[in-house]
Amino acid sequence: VYNSVTKDVRVPLLQTATLSPGVYYFNNLVVDGTLVADTASGAVTVYLSGDLNSAASTVTGGIVNNGKIPSLLSIYGQGRQDIYLKSATALHAVVETPQGQLTVSQVVYGKAAADVVNLTGVFHFDEQLGGKGSPTGVAWKMGTWRASHARR
C-alpha cells in the first residue's frame, strides 16, 4: 500500500508487492508481507527519508531480490534512519544508512554500512562489490561475533 501524500509504503502480511527496475524515493517502508525487487532486467534502487522495517515472520516474507545479485538491489538511508532487517528470507542487497542504525537478524548477502550496526543474523560480504566504503573508526562490541574472514 503506497500513500502518495506521506510517501510511506506498507506491504501487509500475506501480501506481495513488486518493484520493477528503477529508482524509488520513499519515506517509511514497512514490509510485513513480501516485497519483490524484480532485478531480472535491471537494478532497483530505493532511497529512504524515513525508516525501514522488514520484520516478516513467514517463511516467504521479507524483501526478495529475485535475481539474487546484491549489486542489483540498493537501499540507501538519506539521514538518521533505522533499518531493521528481521525476515526469514535471505536478502541480497547493498544497504547503507551512514548516519543511522542497521539491525540485522536474518541472512544477508551483499554489503552494509551504517553508523551503528547490530548483527545477530548472518552476513556474507559480497567481494564482487569491491572494497568501496572500507570501514574506518570501527569499534566492535563483543558478544556472539565470530570473524570468518581474513582481513587484507
Side-chain angles (χ1 to χ4, degrees), residues 75-150:
I75 302 169
Y76 299 114
Q78 303 261 268
R80 296 188 179 276
Q81 285 72 29
D82 289 329
I83 294 180
Y84 299 97
L85 301 174
K86 299 182 252 181
S87 172
T89 303
L91 175 64
H92 300 77
V94 173
V95 181
E96 296 183 4
T97 180
Q99 298 175 355
Q101 178 172 301
L102 174 63
T103 300
V104 179
S105 300
Q106 72 177 83
V107 175
V108 177
Y109 296 88
K111 178 182 170 186
D115 184 41
V116 175
V117 176
N118 299 304
L119 178 64
T120 58
V122 177
F123 188 86
H124 301 276
F125 177 73
D126 186 342
E127 292 182 351
Q128 290 184 336
L129 294 171
K132 300 176 190 172
S134 295
T136 57
V138 173
W140 296 107
K141 184 176 179 182
M142 294 307 291
T144 58
W145 174 260
R146 179 177 50 121
S148 61
H149 67 281

Side-chain angles (χ1 to χ4, degrees), residues 41-59:
S41 62
V44 173
T45 303
V46 177
Y47 292 96
L48 296 167
S49 57
D51 296 337
L52 165 61
N53 190 346
S54 176
S57 59
T58 62
V59 175

Side-chain angles (χ1 to χ4, degrees), residues 5-91:
V5 174
T6 63
K7 296 189 188 224
D8 288 344
V9 176
R10 178 178 208 92
V11 181
L13 186 64
L14 302 178
Q15 292 190 18
T16 300
T18 301
L19 296 177
S20 298
V23 178
Y24 298 87
Y25 296 88
F26 298 137
N27 184 27
N28 294 302
L29 176 57
V30 177
V31 182
D32 292 322
T34 303
L35 179 63
V36 176
D38 183 3
T39 59
S41 62
V44 173
T45 303
V46 177
Y47 292 96
L48 296 167
S49 57
D51 296 337
L52 165 61
N53 190 346
S54 176
S57 59
T58 62
V59 175
T60 59
I63 300 172
V64 177
N65 173 346
N66 65 359
K68 295 187 178 181
I69 299 172
S71 62
L72 293 179
L73 174 58
S74 299
I75 302 169
Y76 299 114
Q78 303 261 268
R80 296 188 179 276
Q81 285 72 29
D82 289 329
I83 294 180
Y84 299 97
L85 301 174
K86 299 182 252 181
S87 172
T89 303
L91 175 64

